[in-house]
Structure formats: C-alpha cells, structure tokens
Amino acid sequence: AQTVTQSQPEMSVQEAETVTLSCTYDTSESDYYLFWYKQPPSRQMILVIRQEAYKQQNATENRFSVNFQKAAKSFSLKISDSQLGDAAMYFCAFMEGHSGYALNFGKGTSLLVTP
Amino acid sequence: DAGVIQSPRHEVTEMGQEVTLRCKPISGHNSLFWYRQTMMRGLELLIYFNNNVPIDDSGMPEDRFSAKMPNASFSTLKIQPSEPRDSAVYFCASSFGVGSEQYFGPGTRLTVT
C-alpha cells in the first residue's frame, strides 16, 4: 500500500511571502498521479494542482507550483505571493496509475497566513 | 454544473439509529467515491464505484456500513446501527476517467450521541 507523509503539521507565512509545503510518498509503482487539495474552514475540498508522474515538467497553476522529484519521491507545493485566503489545511494525495481511481491522502498541513 | 451534491449537510442522531447519507455526482462522471474524515484517522476511502458497480469496498469499517449506487446520478451510504465512533465528516466525490481529479461535495457532518 502506498503511504503519503506530510511532515509539517503546521506552517505559517506572512502575506505576500512564499511558502513551501512538503510531501513525500512511498510506492513501487512507476505510473501514478499526485495531487494537492486545499480544505478551508468551510471544509470544502478544493483541488489545487495535479501532477502526472510520467511528466518531468512541474505543474503550475497561477501562484501555486510543485517541485516534483520522482527519484526522491517528493512532491512539494510552493505558494507564491501568499494571500489571506490561502489559509487552510492542505492535503497531498497519491493515486495509482493502473487502477487510477482512489486517492490516498496524507495527514495534512495547516497553513496560517498572517497580515 | 452544480457540482457534487450531498445531503444532509448535518446529521445528529442517537446511537442505534439508522443513518442514510446521499450523494449526487457531477453529471457525466463515471466514478463515485465515499470518504470519511476524522481528526484521528484523517481522510479515508470507504468505497468507490465505477459505472455504478462497487469496485473496492475494503475501506468500509464493518457490516454496519453499506453503500449503493442504483444509477449514475445517485448514491447512498447507510450506517445501521450507528455508533458514537461513527461521528465524522463524510465526503462524496466524483470523477471521470483514470487518473483524473476528483471533485468533492461539501460533506455531511455526522454526530452520533
């Protein structure tokens, strides 16, 4: 079974600054997908970014980008120009390529954004 | 599109009662997932369906839990009888295609007293 580890239970960043959230995973698969989801206090799960393991190029969505290191099994999320609305729990998730359906989530990182 | 719809948003019930959670996936999606979120265990997959057929129910905690998907636009998760340790937020999510992102509903917060 795949495991997803988020080693930072809490992180803090000042508005307009940059923060990086860490995620590592353990798998013997070569084909898989990785995701970051955001969960604000409303508890709605919102997709932030998706990465396909066979693509070497790091995914980017506006102020959000990832550093995908396949050999190291690392998938960190960088948030640039942090905004107050970025405050939330962030979950890293793994999906197998073969079955390609179910998500395996990490425990999450709580991000605090200070003015 | 209205997104994934779940009802009720909140449910408070007494131990021993039957609880039914409902989900309407996004139109056109062919996979549906039920997750449970607790402080202790985080987000756990309970069961998922592909084309209305249950594919993996290994996450269902015990026989008290059951899920059905009678058609492409509706699914239920039933707990009978409910216990206090079932208190959690239950999410439904849907997707289309292998490896695609899942879209989550707003969740149902279940409290069993």
Side-chain angles (χ1 to χ4, degrees):
Chain A
Q2 292 81 13
T3 57
V4 179
T5 302
Q6 294 180 250
S7 58
Q8 305 152 317
E10 293 180 351
M11 290 284 285
S12 181
V13 63
Q14 271 196 320
E15 214 174 352
E17 296 297 309
T18 296
V19 64
T20 299
L21 309 184
S22 300
C23 173
T24 59
Y25 56 94
D26 184 24
T27 183
S28 57
E29 304 287 334
S30 60
D31 181 22
Y32 50 88
Y33 305 85
L34 295 162
F35 302 82
W36 279 97
Y37 278 85
K38 169 185 176 181
Q39 186 178 39
S42 66
R43 84 168 179 244
Q44 177 72 51
M45 293 288 288
I46 302 164
L47 175 70
V48 175
I49 205 161
R50 171 180 177 269
Q51 175 81 42
E52 297 162 353
Y54 66 85
K55 287 188 175 178
Q56 292 187 340
Q57 187 173 6
N58 290 325
T60 299
E61 287 288 342
N62 300 315
R63 298 182 295 108
F64 298 86
S65 61
V66 298
N67 183 5
F68 174 46
Q69 302 286 331
K70 191 171 184 178
K73 298 180 183 175
S74 171
F75 183 60
S76 60
L77 176 70
K78 186 172 82 170
I79 306 174
S80 303
D81 185 25
S82 297
Q83 300 175 1
L84 294 177
D86 295 333
M89 282 290 290
Y90 285 83
F91 293 94
C92 178
F94 175 99
M95 179 189 289
E96 255 186 35
H98 298 301
S99 58
Y101 292 112
L103 287 169
N104 186 11
F105 286 92
K107 294 296 187 187
T109 296
S110 178
L111 178 66
L112 174 68
V113 181
T114 56
Chain B
D1 199 314
V4 176
I5 299 172
Q6 289 187 248
S7 64
R9 294 292 305 275
H10 304 273
E11 177 80 29
V12 180
T13 190
E14 291 184 347
M15 183 174 63
Q17 297 299 305
E18 177 180 297
V19 175
T20 299
L21 310 183
R22 296 173 176 79
C23 175
K24 176 178 169 55
I26 292 172
S27 178
H29 283 189
N30 62 351
S31 296
L32 182 139
F33 308 81
W34 284 100
Y35 292 91
R36 178 172 68 175
Q37 185 177 32
T38 60
M39 288 294 292
M40 289 296 293
R41 300 174 67 90
L43 277 154
E44 305 173 279
L45 177 70
L46 299 177
I47 185 171
Y48 75 91
F49 297 83
N50 188 40
N51 294 322
N52 312 337
V53 175
I55 303 300
D56 184 356
D57 65 355
S58 59
M60 296 286 262
E62 47 199 274
D63 292 346
R64 297 184 297 106
F65 285 69
S66 63
K68 294 182 179 179
M69 191 166 186
N71 57 62
S73 59
F74 184 65
S75 177
T76 59
L77 177 67
K78 186 176 292 187
I79 308 172
Q80 166 64 20
S82 57
E83 296 182 2
R85 60 193 168 120
D86 301 331
S87 297
V89 177
Y90 291 81
F91 286 101
C92 176
S94 71
S95 70
F96 178 79
V98 174
S100 63
E101 55 268 33
Q102 296 179 13
Y103 294 88
F104 283 72
T108 295
R109 179 175 293 280
L110 173 66
T111 303
V112 183
T113 60

